[in-house]
Amino acid sequence: MMKENKKTYTKEEIDELKKWFDSRSLPQDMQIDKAAYTPRLKDTINMLIEQAYICYDNPKMQGCFFLLEKIKTNLEKNKAGE
């Protein structure tokens, strides 16, 4: 079985994500997907960004990036915060 290369992020990519979120006016809450809901989206994003800075180079700790990308996709799809 081949070992799968997992994507890790750089601090610059986190900075870009943070800048993107900071430039938006965010809704109060969000149903991120079927299983994930946040009543305080801004706080959730801030905590995920903080975790991203701590875990960015660990391929086993990329869940915060998955959620940040999912939130970003939802906002872009709904044209929210522009």
Side-chain angles (χ1 to χ4, degrees):
M1 180 181 254
M2 286 181 49
K3 195 171 193 177
E4 185 179 323
N5 286 337
K6 295 189 179 193
K7 177 173 177 22
T8 58
Y9 289 75
T10 64
K11 286 186 179 180
E12 292 77 23
E13 289 172 309
I14 302 167
D15 291 340
E16 286 179 33
L17 265 176
K18 182 176 180 349
K19 185 177 176 181
W20 189 91
F21 282 113
D22 287 346
S23 71
R24 301 291 187 272
S25 89
L26 302 169
Q28 177 69 29
D29 64 343
M30 177 184 279
Q31 185 73 44
I32 300 168
D33 59 24
K34 278 182 10 179
Y37 168 78
T38 178
R40 295 185 314 270
L41 182 60
K42 185 174 182 172
D43 290 343
T44 299
I45 290 169
N46 288 335
M47 287 184 266
L48 289 170
I49 294 285
E50 185 176 329
Q51 182 182 354
Y53 278 113
I54 295 168
C55 302
Y56 71 94
D57 60 349
N58 184 341
K60 294 182 179 181
M61 295 294 292
Q62 300 295 297
C64 53
F65 291 102
F66 173 79
L67 287 171
L68 287 166
E69 294 290 351
K70 183 71 176 159
I71 292 167
K72 182 179 176 185
T73 299
N74 289 348
L75 290 170
E76 289 172 334
K77 185 170 65 172
N78 296 325
K79 305 278 190 230
E82 292 183 341

PDB file of all heavy atoms in Angstrom, residues 62-76:
ATOM      1  N   GLN A  62      -5.095  18.603  10.470  1.00  0.00           N
ATOM      2  CA  GLN A  62      -5.540  19.545   9.444  1.00  0.00           C
ATOM      3  C   GLN A  62      -7.050  19.799   9.462  1.00  0.00           C
ATOM      4  O   GLN A  62      -7.583  20.447   8.579  1.00  0.00           O
ATOM      5  CB  GLN A  62      -5.110  19.051   8.064  1.00  0.00           C
ATOM      6  CG  GLN A  62      -3.602  18.892   7.908  1.00  0.00           C
ATOM      7  CD  GLN A  62      -2.864  20.204   8.013  1.00  0.00           C
ATOM      8  OE1 GLN A  62      -3.057  21.092   7.205  1.00  0.00           O
ATOM      9  NE2 GLN A  62      -2.020  20.331   9.022  1.00  0.00           N
ATOM     10  N   GLY A  63      -7.739  19.313  10.478  1.00  0.00           N
ATOM     11  CA  GLY A  63      -9.186  19.491  10.558  1.00  0.00           C
ATOM     12  C   GLY A  63      -9.619  20.943  10.593  1.00  0.00           C
ATOM     13  O   GLY A  63     -10.656  21.313  10.031  1.00  0.00           O
ATOM     14  N   CYS A  64      -8.831  21.792  11.243  1.00  0.00           N
ATOM     15  CA  CYS A  64      -9.184  23.212  11.308  1.00  0.00           C
ATOM     16  C   CYS A  64      -9.194  23.820   9.908  1.00  0.00           C
ATOM     17  O   CYS A  64     -10.051  24.649   9.582  1.00  0.00           O
ATOM     18  CB  CYS A  64      -8.235  23.972  12.229  1.00  0.00           C
ATOM     19  SG  CYS A  64      -6.483  23.761  11.875  1.00  0.00           S
ATOM     20  N   PHE A  65      -8.276  23.376   9.056  1.00  0.00           N
ATOM     21  CA  PHE A  65      -8.245  23.885   7.680  1.00  0.00           C
ATOM     22  C   PHE A  65      -9.449  23.397   6.887  1.00  0.00           C
ATOM     23  O   PHE A  65     -10.015  24.144   6.094  1.00  0.00           O
ATOM     24  CB  PHE A  65      -6.948  23.472   6.980  1.00  0.00           C
ATOM     25  CG  PHE A  65      -5.748  24.149   7.535  1.00  0.00           C
ATOM     26  CD1 PHE A  65      -4.890  23.492   8.398  1.00  0.00           C
ATOM     27  CD2 PHE A  65      -5.475  25.470   7.219  1.00  0.00           C
ATOM     28  CE1 PHE A  65      -3.790  24.124   8.921  1.00  0.00           C
ATOM     29  CE2 PHE A  65      -4.366  26.113   7.737  1.00  0.00           C
ATOM     30  CZ  PHE A  65      -3.524  25.432   8.591  1.00  0.00           C
ATOM     31  N   PHE A  66      -9.835  22.145   7.105  1.00  0.00           N
ATOM     32  CA  PHE A  66     -11.015  21.611   6.433  1.00  0.00           C
ATOM     33  C   PHE A  66     -12.233  22.466   6.773  1.00  0.00           C
ATOM     34  O   PHE A  66     -13.003  22.853   5.882  1.00  0.00           O
ATOM     35  CB  PHE A  66     -11.247  20.153   6.843  1.00  0.00           C
ATOM     36  CG  PHE A  66     -12.531  19.593   6.322  1.00  0.00           C
ATOM     37  CD1 PHE A  66     -12.625  19.166   5.006  1.00  0.00           C
ATOM     38  CD2 PHE A  66     -13.646  19.504   7.130  1.00  0.00           C
ATOM     39  CE1 PHE A  66     -13.817  18.654   4.508  1.00  0.00           C
ATOM     40  CE2 PHE A  66     -14.841  18.995   6.643  1.00  0.00           C
ATOM     41  CZ  PHE A  66     -14.929  18.575   5.329  1.00  0.00           C
ATOM     42  N   LEU A  67     -12.406  22.788   8.051  1.00  0.00           N
ATOM     43  CA  LEU A  67     -13.556  23.600   8.461  1.00  0.00           C
ATOM     44  C   LEU A  67     -13.464  25.032   7.935  1.00  0.00           C
ATOM     45  O   LEU A  67     -14.462  25.590   7.475  1.00  0.00           O
ATOM     46  CB  LEU A  67     -13.680  23.604   9.988  1.00  0.00           C
ATOM     47  CG  LEU A  67     -14.191  22.303  10.589  1.00  0.00           C
ATOM     48  CD1 LEU A  67     -14.061  22.327  12.104  1.00  0.00           C
ATOM     49  CD2 LEU A  67     -15.628  22.049  10.177  1.00  0.00           C
ATOM     50  N   LEU A  68     -12.276  25.631   7.984  1.00  0.00           N
ATOM     51  CA  LEU A  68     -12.120  26.988   7.457  1.00  0.00           C
ATOM     52  C   LEU A  68     -12.426  27.046   5.966  1.00  0.00           C
ATOM     53  O   LEU A  68     -13.115  27.964   5.497  1.00  0.00           O
ATOM     54  CB  LEU A  68     -10.708  27.509   7.724  1.00  0.00           C
ATOM     55  CG  LEU A  68     -10.401  27.885   9.171  1.00  0.00           C
ATOM     56  CD1 LEU A  68      -8.901  28.061   9.370  1.00  0.00           C
ATOM     57  CD2 LEU A  68     -11.162  29.131   9.583  1.00  0.00           C
ATOM     58  N   GLU A  69     -11.945  26.072   5.222  1.00  0.00           N
ATOM     59  CA  GLU A  69     -12.215  26.031   3.776  1.00  0.00           C
ATOM     60  C   GLU A  69     -13.700  25.801   3.507  1.00  0.00           C
ATOM     61  O   GLU A  69     -14.272  26.389   2.584  1.00  0.00           O
ATOM     62  CB  GLU A  69     -11.368  24.953   3.097  1.00  0.00           C
ATOM     63  CG  GLU A  69      -9.882  25.220   3.118  1.00  0.00           C
ATOM     64  CD  GLU A  69      -9.440  26.370   2.220  1.00  0.00           C
ATOM     65  OE1 GLU A  69     -10.242  26.892   1.429  1.00  0.00           O
ATOM     66  OE2 GLU A  69      -8.254  26.748   2.315  1.00  0.00           O
ATOM     67  N   LYS A  70     -14.344  24.974   4.325  1.00  0.00           N
ATOM     68  CA  LYS A  70     -15.782  24.715   4.164  1.00  0.00           C
ATOM     69  C   LYS A  70     -16.589  25.989   4.455  1.00  0.00           C
ATOM     70  O   LYS A  70     -17.516  26.332   3.721  1.00  0.00           O
ATOM     71  CB  LYS A  70     -16.205  23.574   5.093  1.00  0.00           C
ATOM     72  CG  LYS A  70     -17.633  23.169   4.961  1.00  0.00           C
ATOM     73  CD  LYS A  70     -17.883  22.460   3.670  1.00  0.00           C
ATOM     74  CE  LYS A  70     -19.315  21.981   3.625  1.00  0.00           C
ATOM     75  NZ  LYS A  70     -19.800  21.731   2.304  1.00  0.00           N
ATOM     76  N   ILE A  71     -16.219  26.699   5.504  1.00  0.00           N
ATOM     77  CA  ILE A  71     -16.892  27.962   5.840  1.00  0.00           C
ATOM     78  C   ILE A  71     -16.696  28.971   4.714  1.00  0.00           C
ATOM     79  O   ILE A  71     -17.652  29.634   4.283  1.00  0.00           O
ATOM     80  CB  ILE A  71     -16.372  28.516   7.186  1.00  0.00           C
ATOM     81  CG1 ILE A  71     -16.803  27.609   8.336  1.00  0.00           C
ATOM     82  CG2 ILE A  71     -16.849  29.951   7.402  1.00  0.00           C
ATOM     83  CD1 ILE A  71     -16.099  27.891   9.658  1.00  0.00           C
ATOM     84  N   LYS A  72     -15.472  29.075   4.213  1.00  0.00           N
ATOM     85  CA  LYS A  72     -15.185  30.008   3.119  1.00  0.00           C
ATOM     86  C   LYS A  72     -16.014  29.668   1.884  1.00  0.00           C
ATOM     87  O   LYS A  72     -16.601  30.556   1.257  1.00  0.00           O
ATOM     88  CB  LYS A  72     -13.687  29.967   2.791  1.00  0.00           C
ATOM     89  CG  LYS A  72     -13.287  30.937   1.704  1.00  0.00           C
ATOM     90  CD  LYS A  72     -11.788  30.859   1.453  1.00  0.00           C
ATOM     91  CE  LYS A  72     -11.417  31.770   0.287  1.00  0.00           C
ATOM     92  NZ  LYS A  72     -10.014  31.658  -0.090  1.00  0.00           N
ATOM     93  N   THR A  73     -16.079  28.388   1.550  1.00  0.00           N
ATOM     94  CA  THR A  73     -16.873  27.945   0.399  1.00  0.00           C
ATOM     95  C   THR A  73     -18.342  28.304   0.581  1.00  0.00           C
ATOM     96  O   THR A  73     -18.996  28.797  -0.339  1.00  0.00           O
ATOM     97  CB  THR A  73     -16.703  26.430   0.185  1.00  0.00           C
ATOM     98  OG1 THR A  73     -15.332  26.155  -0.084  1.00  0.00           O
ATOM     99  CG2 THR A  73     -17.565  25.922  -0.963  1.00  0.00           C
ATOM    100  N   ASN A  74     -18.871  28.070   1.786  1.00  0.00           N
ATOM    101  CA  ASN A  74     -20.270  28.412   2.066  1.00  0.00           C
ATOM    102  C   ASN A  74     -20.520  29.901   1.898  1.00  0.00           C
ATOM    103  O   ASN A  74     -21.536  30.310   1.325  1.00  0.00           O
ATOM    104  CB  ASN A  74     -20.660  27.985   3.478  1.00  0.00           C
ATOM    105  CG  ASN A  74     -20.782  26.497   3.650  1.00  0.00           C
ATOM    106  OD1 ASN A  74     -20.796  25.739   2.668  1.00  0.00           O
ATOM    107  ND2 ASN A  74     -20.827  26.050   4.877  1.00  0.00           N
ATOM    108  N   LEU A  75     -19.606  30.715   2.400  1.00  0.00           N
ATOM    109  CA  LEU A  75     -19.766  32.171   2.281  1.00  0.00           C
ATOM    110  C   LEU A  75     -19.698  32.612   0.818  1.00  0.00           C
ATOM    111  O   LEU A  75     -20.474  33.456   0.378  1.00  0.00           O
ATOM    112  CB  LEU A  75     -18.703  32.892   3.102  1.00  0.00           C
ATOM    113  CG  LEU A  75     -18.853  32.776   4.620  1.00  0.00           C
ATOM    114  CD1 LEU A  75     -17.610  33.323   5.319  1.00  0.00           C
ATOM    115  CD2 LEU A  75     -20.098  33.492   5.099  1.00  0.00           C
ATOM    116  N   GLU A  76     -18.767  32.043   0.077  1.00  0.00           N
ATOM    117  CA  GLU A  76     -18.638  32.387  -1.347  1.00  0.00           C
ATOM    118  C   GLU A  76     -19.878  31.944  -2.140  1.00  0.00           C
ATOM    119  O   GLU A  76     -20.368  32.682  -2.993  1.00  0.00           O
ATOM    120  CB  GLU A  76     -17.398  31.741  -1.950  1.00  0.00           C
ATOM    121  CG  GLU A  76     -16.118  32.349  -1.470  1.00  0.00           C
ATOM    122  CD  GLU A  76     -14.872  31.601  -1.913  1.00  0.00           C
ATOM    123  OE1 GLU A  76     -14.935  30.381  -2.177  1.00  0.00           O
ATOM    124  OE2 GLU A  76     -13.820  32.248  -1.995  1.00  0.00           O
TER     125      GLU A  76
END
